[in-house]
Amino acid sequence: MRKILGYLFSPLHYLAFGLVLVVFEVLQRIALAIGGYKWHKATVDVMNFCLTKTLLFNGIRCRWINKQHLPTDRPLLVVSNHQSLYGIPPFFWCLRRDHMKFVSKIELARGIPSVSYNLRHGGSVLIDRKDPRQAIPALKAFGEYIEKNCYAACIFPEGTRSRDGKPKRFAAQGLKTLLKYTPSALVVPVTVNQVWRVNQYGNFPLSFGESPTWTVHAPIDPRGRNVDEVIAETEATIIAAIV
C-alpha cells in the first residue's frame, strides 16, 4: 500500500521539492549579495525547513528528538549515520542556532540547484575522497574555521549512504582530523532512523507515510581522552540506537 500511495503522491512531493530548490537558488544569490553571510544563512535555514516539509506531500513526517542542552560557547562536531539525502535538511534547520556546516563530497558542488550553491558559499567543506592530498588540508582549514567561529560541523563517517538502514563501519580519518583542529569541540552523536525507507523503492515512487527520526544523544567531551576511544564511543552510541 505504501508503494501504491507513493505512485500517487510522490509527484506532488517532487514538484514542491523542485520548486523550493529553484526558488531558493535565486534567493540565496540575492541574500549573499545584499546581506552577506547573515542573510545567506537565514535563507538556507528557511530553505531546509521547506525541503523537509515537502515530504508531507507524500505523508512523511520527520521527527527531531533532542533532549540535550547543547552549549553555545563551544563548537560542535555532529557525527551521524547516513541513510539518505533526505536525512540532511533537518540538521540545517534544527541546529540552525549552531550555524551547521557539512563535510561533503566534492561531486555535490555542481549541478544541484540551491544545494550546490550553498555548499560552495555557505561555509561547508568539499572533499575529494580520491585525493587525500586535497582532503586533509581542506579538513584542517575547515576545522580551524569551525573552532574560530564556534560553529557546528556535521560529518558522516560511513562515507556513503546505507540503503537498508544497516550501519557501515566508520572511516575514522576525517573525524580524527576535525578533532585535532577543533580542540575545544564537543562531539554530538546523532542517530538517524528509518529515513532509508523513504527511498526503499528507489527514487520513484517514494514510500508513502514513513516516520523517520533524528535522535540527538548526550555530547561527548573529547578533551584529555584518547581519540580512538572517543570515536569508538561515538560509533557505539549511534549504532545502539538504530532500529
Side-chain angles (χ1 to χ4, degrees), residues 25 32 40 42 48 55 62 87 89 92-93 95 101 112 119 138 145 157 161 169 176 179 183 203 212 220 226 240:
E25 172 79 15
L32 187 60
H40 179 249
N48 281 283
L55 289 169
C62 301
F92 277 107
W93 174 249
L95 293 174
K101 315 299 177 189
I112 308 174
L119 289 175
Y145 168 72
R161 287 170 282 167
R169 186 174 180 83
K176 282 185 177 180
L179 284 167
N203 290 326
I220 299 168
N226 178 278

Side-chain angles (χ1 to χ4, degrees), residues 96-154:
R96 62 192 181 278
R97 181 202 68 177
D98 303 292
H99 296 255
M100 175 57 62
K101 315 299 177 189
F102 274 82
V103 177
S104 177
K105 59 184 181 181
I106 200 167
E107 292 86 348
L108 297 179
R110 302 288 175 186
I112 308 174
S114 284
V115 173
S116 297
Y117 187 84
N118 180 47
L119 289 175
R120 295 196 310 272
H121 299 282
S124 293
V125 64
L126 296 161
I127 298 300
D128 186 347
R129 293 180 293 182
K130 300 176 183 178
D131 184 4
R133 291 179 297 178
Q134 181 270 345
I136 293 175
L139 284 171
K140 175 180 179 294
F142 181 61
E144 291 172 342
Y145 168 72
I146 296 299
E147 176 74 18
K148 177 182 177 180
N149 293 284
C150 207
Y151 288 166
C154 183

Side-chain angles (χ1 to χ4, degrees), residues 214-236:
W214 290 251
T215 303
V216 181
H217 302 288
I220 299 168
D221 194 338
R223 292 184 297 189
R225 296 185 56 186
N226 178 278
V227 66
D228 292 319
E229 291 180 357
V230 171
I231 293 173
E233 181 181 346
T234 303
E235 182 175 10

Side-chain angles (χ1 to χ4, degrees), residues 54-72:
T54 63
L55 289 169
L56 290 171
F57 286 102
N58 209 60
I60 298 167
R61 295 183 179 276
C62 301
R63 187 160 62 105
W64 181 271
I65 304 168
N66 182 10
K67 298 180 181 180
Q68 312 303 325
H69 297 286
L70 301 178
T72 59

